[in-house]
Amino acid sequence: MSDDAELRARVKALEALLVERGLIGADTVDQIVDVYESEIGPLLGAKVVARAWVDPDFKQRLLEDATAACSELDIGGLQGEKLVAVENTESVHNVVVCTLCSCYPWPVLGIPPNWYKSPEYRARMVAEPRVVLAEDFGLPLGEDVEIRVQDSSAEVRYFTLPQRPAGTEDWDEERLAGVVTRESMVGVAVL
Amino acid sequence: MDGPHDLGGAQGFGPVRFDPDEPLFLHDWERKVFGLTMATSTVGLYNRDENRHARERMPVDEYRTTSYFEQWLVAMETNLTELGVLDASALRERVAEFLEEPDLEVRGKDQPELFELFRDTLEFGASLDRPAGPPRYSVGDRVRAVRDAKPGHTRLPAYVRGHVGVVHRVDGSFVLPDTNAHHEGENPENTYNVGFSAHDLWGKGDHEVLVDVWESYLEPA
């Protein structure tokens, strides 16, 4: 691995040449990254999940066509042009991976965390999900639970619809959204 | 090609280091690499598939010892110099200059209109869906993933090659990465979600692995 001083110099050199040649603006990089740091993230996916929990019609639309359902909440766009939501239940547990790179539903969950992009996760989740979920994520699933691993290898970007936690029957949508985690929408956690 | 990126089922990896509170970027240079990649792809200096392929062409030992955003940096350096956008020797000179004087500032004009263009891409997406003919396969069909690895870029994970699965969903037609990455045309094809049994893929396990594939990655089984 290159040391940080060399990496910093390589990145700065690239930015300097692109900016000096007018290919990008001096302000562009920070403006773009700021969007992903402040506007887009798993809070958006949490809204979608909470809506599905309180509105059975919305849930049905979400599972049939997640792209259209999410756009009802003004969620969609780059790296989420075709979204699919898969439902986790008592008997079926879905988990999402991208073995070839790091495909992830950006408009719903933001940009992916490091563990999702790691070679360990990409190598092992398709081959031994029961072990990885139990040992690395603390999620032991019963033998009667069917596991489906979704490898995001083409254009669809997946997220999971977790089960609504017990004891939240009288909660409103906003309060429900507050308990939905990024991990539960990738399928490495339940709530 | 069998590149170092194709990791599904690869042996010898330890535990996933899961930290729910990790920041998105561990270093400021990672943040910059992300922003530069988004900026240069927004203005269309290279396409998404050639960006991926530039990472996949890294030698195995280099790929395995390089962090995620360093791989992205390598891809930008590779594409921008190979495509003639930047001159490789000029880039080396500037790296040396910034190594010598790390506090030198990057100077140039702001381009607010470029951020507006990015905003549009962000909102409307950059979908590669294009019309193609009617799908060859239907839900429930048994299909076999082709056995041979193509020489260049492809999105068929090696671990399903030669295995039989069942079509779960037909997903519409999209630009074929295999040719788009090499500037050999868009050649849109229908795509499918295909389920494989873990026991068949790995000789053990009771789960199902679902993979998304382009039509030419499949043959009838």
Side-chain angles (χ1 to χ4, degrees):
Chain A
M1 205 171 293
S2 310
D3 70 28
D4 271 11
E6 190 212 317
L7 286 164
R8 281 196 300 270
R10 282 164 63 192
V11 174
K12 220 167 178 180
L14 209 54
E15 186 179 18
L17 286 173
L18 290 166
V19 168
E20 286 161 14
R21 292 196 46 190
L23 291 164
I24 64 172
D27 52 349
T28 308
V29 168
D30 283 337
Q31 284 176 330
I32 289 176
V33 182
D34 186 56
V35 169
Y36 286 96
E37 287 181 328
S38 60
E39 290 178 33
I40 299 173
L43 290 177
L44 296 171
K47 277 190 197 172
V48 176
V49 168
R51 173 66 56 89
W53 284 343
V54 300
D55 180 345
D57 291 336
F58 178 80
K59 178 179 165 182
Q60 194 181 342
R61 293 199 295 280
L62 180 69
L63 295 175
E64 280 169 8
D65 182 348
T67 319
C70 288
S71 75
E72 293 176 30
L73 305 181
D74 287 327
I75 292 171
L78 190 62
Q79 281 300 312
E81 292 89 350
K82 185 168 178 62
L83 294 165
V84 167
V86 283
E87 184 181 16
N88 284 344
T89 65
E90 292 289 336
S91 55
V92 176
H93 185 88
N94 294 276
V95 58
V96 182
V97 63
C98 172
T99 62
L100 297 174
C101 49
S102 50
C103 297
Y104 194 72
W106 289 13
V108 182
L109 297 181
I111 57 175
N114 286 308
W115 57 263
Y116 183 85
K117 304 178 292 192
S118 72
E120 291 84 3
Y121 186 80
R122 288 161 55 191
R124 295 179 59 212
M125 187 51 89
V126 282
E128 44 179 0
R130 240 174 243 285
V131 177
V132 175
L133 289 172
E135 294 181 2
D136 301 346
F137 291 94
L139 178 63
L141 293 169
E143 279 182 18
D144 55 332
V145 178
E146 181 192 334
I147 298 180
R148 292 181 191 159
V149 182
Q150 181 59 65
D151 192 352
S152 318
S153 46
E155 300 296 337
V156 172
R157 298 293 173 265
Y158 293 89
F159 63 102
T160 58
L161 174 59
Q163 279 186 276
R164 182 170 174 165
T168 60
E169 290 74 13
D170 56 351
W171 289 22
D172 67 14
E173 203 175 319
E174 197 181 336
R175 190 171 172 204
L176 285 166
V179 299
V180 181
T181 62
R182 167 167 63 195
E183 290 73 33
S184 73
M185 293 182 279
V186 180
V188 298
V190 295
L191 300 171
Chain B
M1 62 180 273
D2 284 327
H5 64 291
D6 191 353
L7 287 169
Q11 303 280 313
F13 286 100
V16 180
R17 287 173 299 249
F18 169 57
D19 174 3
D21 301 318
E22 206 170 40
L24 284 180
F25 305 106
L26 298 175
H27 306 283
D28 190 60
W29 67 262
E30 295 187 339
R31 190 179 178 279
K32 289 273 188 198
V33 166
F34 175 76
L36 281 165
T37 302
M38 300 306 290
T40 49
S41 50
T42 299
V43 293
L45 295 180
Y46 46 83
N47 73 44
R48 186 198 61 185
D49 296 311
E50 63 190 334
N51 185 31
R52 283 185 181 144
H53 192 48
R55 301 200 295 266
E56 299 162 2
R57 284 188 282 144
M58 290 174 70
V60 175
D61 55 346
E62 196 181 318
Y63 186 92
R64 290 261 171 123
T65 53
T66 303
S67 70
Y68 180 82
F69 281 113
E70 192 177 346
Q71 291 167 2
W72 279 38
L73 174 61
V74 168
M76 267 193 294
E77 291 168 339
T78 302
N79 276 325
L80 295 175
T81 54
E82 281 185 4
L83 294 167
V85 176
L86 301 179
D87 180 68
S89 62
L91 186 57
R92 277 194 298 274
E93 279 169 27
R94 297 306 291 269
V95 174
E97 189 183 316
F98 283 115
L99 269 173
E100 195 76 23
E101 291 186 71
D103 295 328
L104 273 182
E105 279 182 36
V106 173
R107 286 176 197 280
K109 282 187 190 147
D110 287 350
Q111 290 194 35
E113 69 284 0
L114 181 50
F115 184 59
E116 292 308 311
L117 177 66
F118 171 75
R119 277 266 177 217
D120 285 347
T121 312
L122 185 72
E123 182 177 350
F124 300 109
S127 182
L128 297 175
D129 63 326
R130 307 281 188 275
R136 182 178 181 191
Y137 305 105
S138 312
V139 172
D141 283 358
R142 282 165 55 83
V143 288
R144 183 186 299 277
V146 295
R147 286 173 203 278
D148 298 331
K150 296 180 189 174
H153 178 60
T154 188
R155 293 291 290 176
L156 178 65
Y159 70 87
V160 296
R161 290 204 305 248
H163 289 274
V164 172
V166 175
V167 174
H168 275 236
R169 211 178 51 234
V170 181
D171 275 331
S173 54
F174 294 91
V175 169
L176 182 68
D178 309 47
T179 51
N180 196 44
H182 302 286
H183 296 266
E184 291 166 3
E186 295 198 332
N187 301 302
E189 289 183 8
N190 293 293
T191 59
Y192 303 87
N193 179 248
V194 179
F196 297 87
S197 93
H199 194 268
D200 179 51
L201 294 175
W202 317 111
K204 60 177 183 173
D206 58 1
H207 58 284
E208 185 177 30
V209 182
L210 296 118
V211 178
D212 290 343
V213 291
W214 273 262
E215 193 166 277
S216 60
Y217 300 174
L218 300 173
E219 54 195 32

